[in-house]
Amino acid sequence: MARQPRQQRIDVYGGFTSTGVDRTAGDKMRALAGLGQQITESTLAIGKPIIEAKRAEEGAEAAEQARTVDPVTGEVTYGEVEKMSASKFGAAQYNANLISGMDAQFKMDVRQNLTRIAVKAEGDVNKFDKLVTGYRSGISGGANLPVELRQSADTLVGAYREKIIEQQITEELADAKANRALELKTASDDSFKFIADGQSQAAGLSITEVVDGINADPDLTDPQKAYAVAQYQEQVLVAFSRKELNDTIEDKGYIAGLEYIASI
């Protein structure tokens, strides 16, 4: 019987180390999550400007559609306006264009009507206020206008109102100046008439009125007032002298008149 070869001992060349929990799946998930984040960020970077531009265009279109004009009567009507929720992409661009677009149209309407009202008011601020109140109450769909637009209109109304007030004040000052000039001339003419008629007391009252009127003139400086008063008083003295000369000639004759002239 043949002899079997001796079985050799198997040497151990390396120790066995447990690999523990297999983390391959978790690493893959984390890698995929990171990739997903990168994709999301890239998508947002590319898509956000596109969405914002689209929203801005939609906002401008909504502004145009919010205002309609009756082709027959020309009446302007403002429809309901709804802003986009701030939680949506491009809401800021949509809302900004919506308000700015409507504001431009509304200001145009307001300016046209305020110009018409200002002309119709004829410089009377009370009449202007009454007409503006009627215009505001007559705006079709006025309740639908955003607060920003109403504030914008108030600013325009205030500016036009200031112009009316300025115009009214200017006209009143011009009227007052014209009245002062007329009153002064009337008092001056009266003073010379009373002097010529020999009504000394009435003449004195008119003279005082003229002097006081000159001194109260807001358009004259103090030196100008003093000069004007001196000029007037000189004319008054001449008028009194002429009256006395006429009386002398009438009472005592021409020779006595010559003597009076020589004495003064």
Side-chain angles (χ1 to χ4, degrees), residues 4-59:
Q4 295 293 329
R6 183 180 178 184
Q7 186 175 6
Q8 299 291 326
R9 182 174 62 89
I10 300 175
D11 295 325
V12 177
Y13 292 97
F16 173 77
T17 303
S18 173
T19 58
V21 179
D22 184 4
R23 301 182 180 275
T24 303
D27 291 341
K28 288 181 179 180
M29 291 301 295
R30 281 191 292 274
L32 289 174
L35 179 60
Q37 180 65 27
Q38 291 177 5
I39 293 173
T40 300
E41 292 174 354
S42 298
T43 302
L44 288 175
I46 296 172
K48 187 176 180 182
I50 297 175
I51 295 174
E52 290 177 346
K54 184 179 179 182
R55 291 288 187 249
E57 185 178 347
E58 290 173 350

Side-chain angles (χ1 to χ4, degrees), residues 75-196:
E75 182 182 20
V76 177
T77 303
Y78 295 93
E80 294 185 9
V81 179
E82 184 176 355
K83 291 183 179 180
M84 183 173 288
S85 173
S87 62
K88 294 183 179 181
F89 278 125
Q93 288 71 24
Y94 178 93
N95 293 333
N97 275 21
L98 172 66
I99 297 302
S100 64
M102 288 194 66
D103 187 56
Q105 295 181 103
F106 185 55
K107 278 182 178 177
M108 178 184 66
D109 293 337
V110 172
R111 286 184 188 279
Q112 289 178 348
N113 282 281
L114 287 180
T115 300
R116 172 183 58 80
I117 289 171
V119 172
K120 197 171 182 179
E122 300 177 331
D124 187 337
V125 69
N126 293 324
K127 190 174 181 180
F128 175 82
D129 290 342
K130 184 176 180 180
L131 291 171
V132 167
T133 300
Y135 163 63
R136 281 174 164 167
S137 63
I139 294 177
S140 298
N144 294 325
L145 293 170
V147 176
E148 298 94 328
L149 270 65
R150 298 181 192 180
Q151 293 173 344
S152 178
D154 288 343
T155 300
L156 285 176
V157 170
Y160 272 78
R161 191 175 191 275
E162 287 297 322
K163 286 185 179 180
I164 295 293
I165 292 174
E166 183 179 348
Q167 178 184 351
Q168 185 173 344
I169 291 175
T170 301
E171 291 177 354
E172 288 176 353
L173 289 175
D175 290 343
K177 184 174 182 178
N179 290 336
R180 283 197 307 271
L182 179 61
E183 291 171 359
L184 195 62
K185 185 179 186 305
T186 301
S188 177
D189 291 346
D190 285 348
S191 68
F192 295 125
K193 179 178 181 297
F194 292 145
I195 290 173

